[in-house]
Amino acid sequence: MNGQLVHHRAEDQGAPAVKPAEGKPEKIRCDACPVTCFIAEGRTGACDRYANEGGALVRLDPLTILENRADAGEGTGELVPFLEREWDGDILPGQESFITAVGAGTTYPDYKPAPFIVSSQVEGVDMVTVVTEGIFSYCGAKVKIDTDRHLGSECAAVRAEGEVIGHVTTSEYGSQMLSLGGVNHLTGGSKKEGRVTCATLLELCNGGAVDLTIDGGAELTVKAGAAPIVNGAREERMRVGCGSATVGMFAAQWKGLVDEVVVVDDHITGVMSEHQAGKVIGWAPTGIKINGRRSTPGRYFQVAEPGTGWGGTDLTNPLDILGAFNPKQAWPGLSLLMVSTTGEHAAYFELDDSLTPVEKPIPARLQPSVARIEENCEPAMTSVLFMAGAGGSLRSGVTENPVGLTRSVQKALTYVSCGGAPVYVWPGGGITLMADVTRMPLNAFGYVPTPALVAPIEFTMRAEDYRALGGHMDYVIPLADAVKGASGRQNDHILKGRRSVTPGARNPWPARPGNYPWKKTAQ
Ligand code: SF4
């Protein structure tokens, strides 16, 4: 063979009873997920994560060790996020190390302890970290896309490669939200739907770009931490606020420069002369008429259909939302500025003798206010939060009494991290967590073809709390041994290598006592 590893699945073989041909080495069985590949020498399993090298089962991605060096500490400004190097096993004075689950291997099939259960001393406190790569059938990504543009109706299907992999969910302030993945798309549809859902989540969570289409809506390219691309155009700005908020923010700056201002917004269009902000600073009525549903004075809903034009509407001509001016209040020469919530669209009009708006160049006196709106917009970004339920069987890798872990997490006695990155644990039952993928080491995620995503997860707590929740105390190994390459006796695989990464500058050190209520109480 050419030295390249190729994968081989149990189901391709009619496994499990695989008898080796005469003189050929026996295939080894990987039981790190339900696929249970039988892997021939020099080949990898179906997920490309494990291989048979010389008859040994090898976890191919290097074990990732977080390294917090005293000379590049948090907040010094010198630390390079996720600086990567091959781990040489040395621990320098003042250095802290943390074994992440990236490359650690899985607990599956869950009757055995997690691959690494590591003891350490942090600020004089005996701590234990349980480390495993979780296999998540219940997982997905919540994607926040900073744009005013209408991407699709709420509940509209989101597709990748033509397959439905999620839907548009409730929009937030200045952002459109997608809910991708989840157990129904991974397991409840066709084989292709599950495969494409898994592949898309994997790419997105590992920091890659994915192409999505929304039924009845936009075409997107999204990547965590990067500006979204909507219908081929890179989104530049997140809106300064809704139309009403924009009117309020800039009312005083426009006073005396123009007779009327309309801030066009798909959700709440603001009209200066009627708005509370205009009233309190003495703005005179203009007789303007807006074609929309009036909510409160100067705030209008549904002025147009959603779209990718002015302020997230389908408008290309803002005058389409105006009715006739009231001749009792309006006057020839009345000046009107219409602007969108990002300042991307702006136009200036003056009423002629018949009180019809006539477009004119935006006067120099108003240009700074439009520029100020643009200046106040934040750069548009795509945020990807991995969301998963860890309340299932992987808890058995931590404890003989799984609910003990759940309770310990809920009491904050156990700190949960993903690849060393902090997570948000939802209140209520189970361990339902969210993690910002940009705070995790690159390529922290894998997959198995069941299909499910593989994500790193670590549980860190005081040794006494670990004992109390029924932890596998007999399998604890010292951190110093783990960083030198030792692994627990429960493991049936060996590690291919180790790599060191420095933690993201915004990430708290996962074993820091400050993460726990007992430390705060002691203070
Ligand atoms: S898919 Fe991967 S983890 Fe699952 S059995 Fe095969 S090699 Fe092991």
Side-chain angles (χ1 to χ4, degrees), residues 178-244:
L178 308 182
S179 176
L180 303 183
V183 69
N184 287 336
H185 293 296
L186 284 167
T187 69
S190 67
K191 229 177 177 178
K192 188 179 174 204
E193 179 179 330
R195 182 176 56 73
V196 172
T197 300
C198 188
T200 308
L201 290 177
L202 180 65
E203 187 66 20
L204 202 53
C205 289
N206 273 340
V210 300
D211 295 326
L212 304 172
T213 57
I214 297 174
D215 286 3
E219 292 183 0
L220 300 172
T221 302
V222 289
K223 179 180 188 300
I229 296 170
V230 182
N231 294 332
R234 184 186 151 96
E235 187 61 280
E236 297 292 340
R237 289 184 290 272
M238 179 181 185
R239 71 180 187 176
V240 63
C242 70
S244 170

Side-chain angles (χ1 to χ4, degrees), residues 495-520:
L495 300 173
K496 180 82 174 170
R498 287 163 293 155
R499 68 169 174 164
S500 152
V501 296
T502 50
R506 292 179 297 140
N507 289 356
W509 186 249
R512 184 183 70 166
N515 297 335
Y516 303 88
W518 47 260
K519 172 71 175 180
K520 288 167 194 148

Side-chain angles (χ1 to χ4, degrees), residues 62-65 67 69 82-92 95 97 498-502:
L63 176 70
T64 295
I65 301 170
E67 190 185 11
R69 293 191 1 222
F82 305 128
L83 180 69
E84 232 181 87
R85 68 175 173 87
E86 202 171 314
W87 179 258
D88 55 15
D90 289 341
I91 303 183
L92 304 170
Q95 174 186 318
S97 303
R498 287 163 293 155
R499 68 169 174 164
S500 152
V501 296
T502 50

Side-chain angles (χ1 to χ4, degrees), residues 65-389:
I65 301 170
L66 282 190
E67 190 185 11
N68 199 16
R69 293 191 1 222
D71 60 349
E74 217 177 313
T76 62
E78 296 164 22
L79 186 146
V80 182
F82 305 128
L83 180 69
E84 232 181 87
R85 68 175 173 87
E86 202 171 314
W87 179 258
D88 55 15
D90 289 341
I91 303 183
L92 304 170
Q95 174 186 318
E96 289 178 287
S97 303
F98 181 84
I99 305 286
T100 77
V102 182
T106 49
T107 300
Y108 197 84
D110 300 320
Y111 65 86
K112 61 185 179 189
F116 285 92
I117 304 177
V118 175
S119 65
S120 61
Q121 267 231 337
V122 185
E123 296 181 21
V125 180
D126 289 327
M127 305 291 291
V128 169
T129 301
V130 184
V131 172
T132 187
E133 288 179 299
I135 300 174
F136 293 100
S137 301
Y138 290 84
C139 76
K142 303 292 180 236
V143 182
K144 172 174 165 285
I145 301 169
D146 301 336
T147 181
D148 231 8
R149 278 175 242 284
H150 177 72
L151 302 182
S153 302
E154 218 166 284
C155 300
V158 178
R159 294 176 189 269
E161 296 176 34
E163 295 294 320
V164 178
I165 64 153
H167 62 273
V168 177
T169 186
T170 325
S171 32
E172 299 299 342
Y173 200 80
S175 307
Q176 313 288 317
M177 305 290 292
L178 308 182
S179 176
L180 303 183
V183 69
N184 287 336
H185 293 296
L186 284 167
T187 69
S190 67
K191 229 177 177 178
K192 188 179 174 204
E193 179 179 330
R195 182 176 56 73
V196 172
T197 300
C198 188
T200 308
L201 290 177
L202 180 65
E203 187 66 20
L204 202 53
C205 289
N206 273 340
V210 300
D211 295 326
L212 304 172
T213 57
I214 297 174
D215 286 3
E219 292 183 0
L220 300 172
T221 302
V222 289
K223 179 180 188 300
I229 296 170
V230 182
N231 294 332
R234 184 186 151 96
E235 187 61 280
E236 297 292 340
R237 289 184 290 272
M238 179 181 185
R239 71 180 187 176
V240 63
C242 70
S244 170
T246 308
V247 159
M249 275 186 271
F250 298 104
Q253 297 180 36
W254 277 316
K255 183 86 183 1
L257 298 183
V258 63
D259 298 316
E260 183 63 281
V261 181
V262 175
V263 182
V264 180
D265 175 24
D266 177 39
H267 301 129
I268 309 172
T269 288
V271 180
M272 184 64 79
S273 63
E274 299 177 2
H275 194 277
Q276 182 77 1
K279 292 268 184 243
V280 296
I281 60 170
W283 212 285
T286 60
I288 196 167
K289 165 93 173 66
I290 302 286
N291 299 325
R293 183 157 76 78
R294 186 171 175 271
S295 158
T296 52
R299 298 169 74 253
Y300 289 85
F301 300 161
Q302 300 157 16
V303 296
E305 291 300 315
T308 55
W310 278 63
T313 69
D314 62 349
L315 291 170
T316 51
N317 178 6
L319 294 180
D320 289 348
I321 68 170
L322 298 191
F325 276 76
N326 180 350
K328 290 187 183 147
Q329 292 173 309
W331 62 93
L334 182 153
S335 58
L336 165 67
L337 175 68
M338 298 188 81
V339 62
S340 69
T341 45
T342 55
E344 180 185 337
H345 296 96
Y348 174 79
F349 306 89
E350 289 181 7
L351 299 193
D352 65 12
D353 289 343
S354 65
L355 303 182
T356 303
V358 177
E359 184 164 7
K360 302 203 164 171
I362 298 178
R365 68 179 190 278
L366 290 176
Q367 282 167 4
S369 65
V370 175
R372 178 64 64 86
I373 292 177
E374 288 179 320
E375 183 191 330
N376 273 270
C377 293
E378 294 171 80
M381 189 73 86
T382 304
S383 313
V384 177
L385 294 197
F386 169 68
M387 183 163 176

Side-chain angles (χ1 to χ4, degrees), residues 30-37 39 45-50 448-449:
C30 173
D31 65 2
C33 90
V35 177
T36 58
C37 299
I39 310 173
C47 64
D48 290 333
R49 296 162 58 238
Y50 289 89
V448 291

